[in-house]
Amino acid sequence: MHNVTSEFLLWEFSKIWELQLMYIVSLLLLYVVTITENLLIITAIVWDHHLHTPMYFFLINLPLQDIASVSVIIPKVFLNFLMNVRTISYSGCIAQVLFFFFFLGSDIPLLTVMAYDRYIAICKPLQYEMIMNRKVCTKMVGTVWIDSLLNASLHTNFTFITPLCSNIVNQFYCEVPYLLKIACFSSYVSEIGVIIFSATLRGTCFVFLIVTYVHAFSAVLRIPSVEGRKKAFSTCLPHIIVFFVFVFTASFAYLKPISDSPLFLDFIITITYSIVPSMLNPVIYSLRIKDIKVTLSRLFGQKLLFFKEE
């Protein structure tokens, strides 16, 4: 084929219509829940001027990233189902890989920046406003998105620069390991280079995050108030949970052997790292914050069940 194909054939889930419907409904449900949760966070932060602080400036980028990453893949799957097709154009596949890596790849550096913000708030509270001023926060977020764009561009380039010998992608979207599976020859050297570059960037984030939280937790343990320690831990621990859930599921998905035929297990693994973290981010972190609960309660005029104090 040598890259002359105009479209790819994606996984059709099943030849049995009822099973197809089950897959589509599951994806659509995950998508609706993810979009709803993250829109609630964005609405609360934008609506309440008391939340216009550095912490929430970083926090609003997380739901934006979550909405964008799932929107890159799910609407196309649903549209294909409605039109009874399973194709995606060559240019559409390139765009999907680029934007998916761009948005999903921003997760780790964004969580790292948020960890630094919490470190300053806990360890240097008197200097917090001076250190985390608007200019600094803007530069930090800008660096996150530039890093993600560079990483996404490299992965996309080295994925599609290799000639392809098939147009059948055994996944419900253009996932990189499945595209590399249909390459005419192994691009081992190129892949290793990109992986080393990405691992270096993400590894740096990982080390920085660990060091940051070691210092933060040391400071928390010195807080005399039990309530103060509890509040600090409840703020920091969700960061760590989100970080490790994403890292381990994504690493497993990209390092596991790719099967020659589509399997239900492959579908579950892909969902686990590409959609589930975006759905869990608001639940694990944002919706547990008292200020956001209060804001949403005021915004909707009542306290919903899951906004009640724990």
Side-chain angles (χ1 to χ4, degrees):
M1 184 172 295
H2 304 293
N3 277 4
V4 298
T5 182
S6 61
E7 63 181 20
F8 292 96
L9 293 177
L10 301 174
W11 185 33
E12 65 176 344
F13 297 116
S14 173
K15 294 185 180 299
I16 303 174
W17 189 85
E18 288 79 7
L19 289 178
Q20 285 189 37
L21 185 62
M22 181 193 71
Y23 279 109
I24 294 299
V25 170
S26 300
L27 286 175
L28 188 59
L29 181 61
L30 290 173
Y31 182 67
V32 170
V33 171
T34 300
I35 296 297
T36 302
E37 290 175 342
N38 285 287
L39 281 179
L40 285 174
I41 304 304
I42 295 172
T43 302
I45 295 175
V46 171
W47 184 75
D48 191 346
H49 70 277
H50 294 102
L51 301 183
H52 296 176
T53 63
M55 173 182 171
Y56 294 103
F57 174 71
F58 294 129
L59 185 59
I60 199 172
N61 282 269
L62 194 59
L64 287 172
Q65 171 260 325
D66 288 334
I67 290 174
S69 64
V70 295
S71 295
V72 168
I73 57 177
I74 301 301
K76 176 60 177 174
V77 177
F78 189 62
L79 181 62
N80 278 4
F81 174 75
L82 293 178
M83 297 178 64
N84 197 28
V85 296
R86 60 186 184 103
T87 60
I88 184 171
S89 66
Y90 188 84
S91 58
C93 190
I94 293 176
Q96 196 173 68
V97 170
L98 176 64
F99 286 111
F100 184 69
F101 262 100
F102 173 56
F103 291 117
L104 197 68
S106 66
D107 196 78
I108 292 177
L110 183 57
L111 289 174
T112 304
V113 166
M114 293 169 68
Y116 177 74
D117 172 72
R118 291 300 84 204
Y119 160 75
I120 297 298
I122 293 172
C123 298
K124 302 180 180 180
L126 298 179
Q127 301 174 336
Y128 179 76
E129 291 187 4
M130 181 181 67
I131 296 175
M132 302 303 295
N133 57 65
R134 179 175 297 183
K135 186 177 180 179
V136 170
C137 293
T138 302
K139 286 184 177 180
M140 292 174 72
V141 170
T143 301
V144 167
W145 292 112
I146 291 172
D147 165 81
S148 298
L149 180 59
L150 177 61
N151 184 51
S153 299
L154 286 173
H155 275 283
T156 304
N157 179 64
F158 284 107
T159 297
F160 290 95
I161 201 173
T162 307
L164 305 176
C165 286
S166 173
N167 70 335
I168 300 176
V169 180
N170 287 323
Q171 192 52 270
F172 64 92
Y173 71 95
C174 289
E175 192 177 14
V176 169
Y178 291 88
L179 290 168
L180 296 176
K181 182 72 175 179
I182 60 176
C184 294
F185 57 86
S186 174
S187 54
Y188 180 76
V189 176
S190 299
E191 291 173 45
I192 289 298
V194 175
I195 290 173
I196 290 175
F197 176 78
S198 296
T200 301
L201 291 178
R202 274 43 188 174
T204 301
C205 290
F206 175 78
V207 173
F208 183 83
L209 185 141
I210 293 299
V211 172
T212 297
Y213 277 122
V214 166
H215 286 288
F217 284 143
S218 297
V220 168
L221 292 175
R222 291 195 296 269
I223 296 177
S225 168
V226 175
E227 187 64 27
R229 291 198 298 269
K230 181 180 178 181
K231 182 178 179 180
F233 275 120
S234 68
T235 302
C236 295
L237 287 177
H239 264 128
I240 298 177
I241 294 172
V242 172
F243 185 88
F244 280 102
V245 165
F246 176 79
V247 168
F248 282 117
T249 53
S251 299
F252 182 74
Y254 276 77
L255 294 177
K256 71 178 179 64
I258 303 300
S259 56
D260 294 322
S261 58
L263 299 173
F264 179 73
L265 179 61
D266 295 331
F267 172 77
I268 295 298
I269 292 172
T270 298
I271 288 293
T272 301
Y273 90 89
S274 63
I275 300 177
V276 171
S278 296
M279 183 182 68
L280 292 181
N281 278 346
V283 177
I284 292 177
Y285 187 70
S286 303
L287 293 177
R288 298 176 68 253
I289 299 177
K290 183 179 179 180
D291 290 341
I292 289 183
K293 294 180 187 179
V294 171
T295 298
L296 288 174
S297 298
R298 291 173 181 170
L299 185 60
F300 291 101
Q302 59 181 345
K303 284 196 172 185
L304 301 179
L305 180 62
F306 55 92
F307 290 149
K308 290 183 178 179
E309 294 293 335
E310 296 175 353

